[in-house]
Amino acid sequence: GMQSYLQALLSLYKLFRPDLVTITLPGKMKTYFKNSEGPWKAAIHAVRQRNKENSPVSQLLFLGTAQPRSRKRKWNTQLTIPASSTNKSLEEDREQNRVDLYSGNEYFPVEQLQTFPQLVQNIHRLEFPSQMGSVLTNPLLLHYMNCFKDESIYLRLYYWTGQTLQEECTWCVADNNQYEEEFKDFLETIYKTECFLQEGFSSCEEFLYKTLPLWDGFCCRSQVLRLVSWIPLSNVSDMKSLLYDPLAQLFFTSSLYFKCSVLESLKELLQNWLNLHVIPLDSVSDT
């Protein structure tokens, strides 16, 4: 059965290898791994003691007496998308002079990727950054995603966006209206990324289905309806209860402007679906 400690273990696996965990896990659960780095801290502390390095600040960190950092954002910090940076393991491989299988050269650091010609010249020497959220604001890496349809890359990005959307949603967290502008910008960034890739994120679809029944139809209205227009039409039978019914409750009780906005969003949803399927349908008919 799905005991809470098994869910916690699976969530830990999903954080590092989302491609291996295909089941849906609850968003909120009890924390079971508060001190997972304990053995490492003890080993480092032993080495430091042997080398007689006595740094007061480091001692607090290695002994575990410093306050642990929470995964959730503090209320006095800002919602920020991480910058592109090379994976730490990639740096270690570079130090060991590991060569690339395609070109026989070392990997090209993503933080040095500035122009499209650089992308073309180093297309087989790139590796996605360790923080996939940085891809959202990097058009060159989005081009790279389009070139290499690796499912694990999309899973990493979807999992990061899903976690961030859930933790930062302004109408699901009390007294969080002061961060509405930041959340608007984040939703706008995701929408632009979906337009660039010409496909919707499954994490956004799940987020909308969960939060639309709680939405007041006013907070981040433009951004939410834009995300609705990119919902993947994978299971149309579920869309009535998960999408149309929550929107209908707001539709019949809201202003004429909101009604027009909803109809415009659904029209764009249909257009995006047709654009996605018109080429395969034409190719099949030609055959």
Side-chain angles (χ1 to χ4, degrees), residues 37-51 62-63:
E37 298 181 353
W40 283 106
K41 290 179 181 178
I44 294 174
H45 176 61
V47 173
R48 290 181 63 88
Q49 287 288 82
R50 186 168 62 247
N51 295 336
F62 294 140
L63 290 174

Side-chain angles (χ1 to χ4, degrees), residues 78-137:
Q78 295 182 345
L79 194 166
T80 56
I81 297 176
S84 300
S85 59
T86 305
N87 197 319
K88 290 183 179 180
S89 61
L90 179 58
E91 292 289 349
E92 296 172 356
D93 292 336
R94 187 179 293 111
E95 292 176 1
Q96 298 173 6
N97 296 321
R98 186 174 69 125
V99 296
D100 181 71
L101 296 177
Y102 292 99
S103 61
N105 297 321
E106 296 180 0
Y107 277 110
F108 186 82
V110 291
E111 59 266 24
Q112 296 181 15
L113 185 64
Q114 302 294 332
T115 63
F116 191 80
Q118 282 183 324
L119 173 65
V120 175
Q121 294 171 5
N122 301 280
I123 193 70
H124 293 303
R125 299 172 55 202
L126 291 172
E127 181 172 304
F128 282 101
S130 56
Q131 299 189 66
M132 283 302 296
S134 61
V135 176
L136 296 176
T137 55

Side-chain angles (χ1 to χ4, degrees), residues 171 205-218 224-225 228 231 238-254 258 262 266:
W171 61 85
E205 178 185 20
E206 183 180 355
F207 165 74
L208 291 171
Y209 288 163
K210 287 182 177 180
T211 60
L212 280 178
L214 307 175
W215 185 46
D216 59 4
F218 179 78
V224 170
L225 292 180
V228 168
I231 289 180
D238 293 337
M239 292 187 69
K240 181 181 184 301
S241 60
L242 297 175
L243 176 64
Y244 299 143
D245 289 348
L247 287 178
Q249 295 180 5
L250 296 170
F251 185 88
F252 293 114
T253 58
S254 300
F258 181 83
V262 172
L266 295 179

Side-chain angles (χ1 to χ4, degrees), residues 109-259:
V110 291
E111 59 266 24
Q112 296 181 15
L113 185 64
Q114 302 294 332
T115 63
F116 191 80
Q118 282 183 324
L119 173 65
V120 175
Q121 294 171 5
N122 301 280
I123 193 70
H124 293 303
R125 299 172 55 202
L126 291 172
E127 181 172 304
F128 282 101
S130 56
Q131 299 189 66
M132 283 302 296
S134 61
V135 176
L136 296 176
T137 55
N138 193 321
L140 296 175
L141 289 180
L142 291 178
H143 278 297
Y144 187 50
M145 283 188 64
N146 272 332
C147 293
F148 293 89
K149 297 294 184 180
D150 188 347
E151 185 179 358
S152 64
I153 299 300
Y154 284 86
L155 286 173
R156 286 175 58 195
L157 180 60
Y158 294 165
Y159 186 69
W160 183 86
T161 55
Q163 290 291 105
T164 307
L165 285 169
Q166 177 181 326
E167 294 179 358
E168 305 294 340
C169 181
T170 53
W171 61 85
C172 293
V173 180
D175 300 329
N176 199 15
N177 293 330
Q178 57 179 316
Y179 300 105
E180 181 177 344
E181 290 301 321
E182 296 179 15
F183 193 59
K184 279 184 179 179
D185 293 339
F186 182 63
L187 295 180
E188 191 71 27
T189 300
I190 294 180
Y191 169 73
K192 292 179 179 179
T193 304
E194 291 180 330
C195 291
F196 188 97
L197 297 174
Q198 288 294 292
E199 61 178 299
F201 291 175
S202 58
S203 55
C204 292
E205 178 185 20
E206 183 180 355
F207 165 74
L208 291 171
Y209 288 163
K210 287 182 177 180
T211 60
L212 280 178
L214 307 175
W215 185 46
D216 59 4
F218 179 78
C219 180
C220 306
R221 174 194 296 166
S222 176
Q223 291 74 22
V224 170
L225 292 180
R226 285 178 178 179
L227 291 182
V228 168
S229 67
W230 278 109
I231 289 180
L233 295 178
S234 55
N235 193 345
V236 182
S237 60
D238 293 337
M239 292 187 69
K240 181 181 184 301
S241 60
L242 297 175
L243 176 64
Y244 299 143
D245 289 348
L247 287 178
Q249 295 180 5
L250 296 170
F251 185 88
F252 293 114
T253 58
S254 300
S255 63
L256 179 61
Y257 177 79
F258 181 83
K259 290 181 172 65

Side-chain angles (χ1 to χ4, degrees), residues 14-31:
K14 190 168 185 177
L15 183 63
F16 295 98
R17 290 296 302 273
D19 54 310
L20 297 181
V21 183
T22 59
I23 63 174
T24 301
L25 297 173
K28 296 181 179 180
M29 61 182 68
K30 182 179 178 182
T31 302

